[in-house]
Amino acid sequence: GVVTFYVSLPQSSYPDADARRRFYDELLPSIREVPGVTAAGVDNVLPFSGMWATSSFNVVGYEPGPGEPRPWGDFRVVSPGFQDALGLQLVEGRFFTDADGPETPSVAVVDEGLARRYWPQGGAVGQHISYSPSSEIEVVGVVSHAAHEGLDADPRVQVYVSYRQLPQAGMFVVARSSGDPASLVPALRATVQAVDPDLPIARANTM
C-alpha cells in the first residue's frame, strides 16, 4: 500500500537549507491532500533502495570499553508523518512535529534496538546522543526497527532526525495509499510540478 519516488533539488534553485526546507514544507501538505493518500513523509535513505547512510555517534553517559568501537548505526533524515507512511510503531515518547525546526533544540528518534542496547532499564526519552563534541541531541521518541537491507540482514541501530532541522537536497517521498498505490503516481508527479514545474521525479515504485 505504499508508493515512493525520489526528488533531487538543484543547487541553482535551492542554494541553502532554508530554500530546501521551504520546498518540503510546501510539498508535503499538498501530497497529503492527493485523493487516496492516507499518510506521507520524506526520507533521505529509503529501506530496500540499495542506498544507506551510517555514522558513528556518542551516547551521553556511555563510554565504550577498551578496544570497543563507538556506537554506530543508520542515520536517517525524515519528516513528520514518515512513521505512519512507512508503518513504524511508536514505542515511547513522540515522533517529529512541524514545531521541530531550525530555531528549536535538536531532537532525535531512535529505534528500539538502540534504546535496549544503551538504556536497557528503559527511559530512553530525555537521554542525549551527539555526532560532534559541541552539540547534543535529545531523544524524544523510540520507534520499531525498520529492516533496511533485507529481512535476513543483521539489524543496525537507527537514529532519525527531522528534515526541518537538517534539510537535504535529495529525498524519497513515501505515500501510503488506501487503494492501488501505483495509480497515484500521475497525481503525485503533478503535485510536485505544481510546487516546482521544472522538477522531475525519479525512481517511482511501490514498496
Side-chain angles (χ1 to χ4, degrees):
V2 174
V3 64
T4 67
F5 62 87
Y6 189 74
V7 293
S8 182
L9 305 181
Q11 177 72 18
S12 57
S13 302
Y14 302 91
D16 54 32
D18 286 340
R20 295 190 290 270
R21 186 184 301 107
R22 285 194 298 269
F23 171 81
Y24 292 112
D25 282 351
E26 182 177 355
L27 176 66
L28 281 170
S30 299
I31 292 288
R32 294 177 184 127
E33 292 176 359
V34 172
V37 172
T38 60
V42 294
D43 182 13
N44 67 321
V45 182
L46 189 70
F48 301 101
S49 65
M51 301 168 62
W52 62 89
T54 63
S55 180
S56 59
F57 57 95
N58 296 308
V59 173
V60 175
Y62 169 81
E63 289 295 332
E68 291 183 5
R70 292 169 56 195
W72 171 80
D74 289 330
F75 181 78
R76 308 274 286 278
V77 182
V78 302
S79 70
F82 170 77
Q83 80 283 9
D84 293 327
L86 194 67
L88 298 177
Q89 302 299 311
L90 186 64
V91 177
E92 182 184 356
R94 67 171 178 89
F95 205 71
F96 303 115
T97 71
D98 289 337
D100 298 314
E103 305 301 326
T104 61
S106 297
V107 293
V109 172
V110 302
D111 81 326
E112 53 191 343
L114 190 154
R116 283 195 302 265
R117 183 174 301 179
Y118 296 107
W119 302 290
Q121 305 304 316
V125 171
Q127 302 291 339
H128 293 80
I129 62 174
S130 68
Y131 287 88
S132 69
S134 61
S135 61
E136 292 186 2
I137 306 171
E138 181 180 357
V139 176
V140 296
V142 179
V143 293
S144 56
H145 179 78
H148 188 82
E149 293 177 358
L151 297 178
D152 58 350
D154 290 335
R156 289 188 295 266
V157 299
Q158 295 169 332
V159 177
Y160 298 86
V161 299
S162 173
Y163 86 94
R164 304 205 73 251
Q165 296 188 329
L166 191 64
Q168 306 290 294
M171 298 286 276
F172 285 94
V173 177
V174 183
R176 182 167 290 275
S177 171
S178 58
D180 174 18
S183 68
L184 292 177
V185 172
L188 296 174
R189 180 182 290 110
T191 302
V192 172
Q193 293 181 338
V195 177
D196 184 343
D198 297 324
L199 189 65
I201 70 172
R203 302 182 69 172
N205 207 346
T206 56
M207 287 200 75

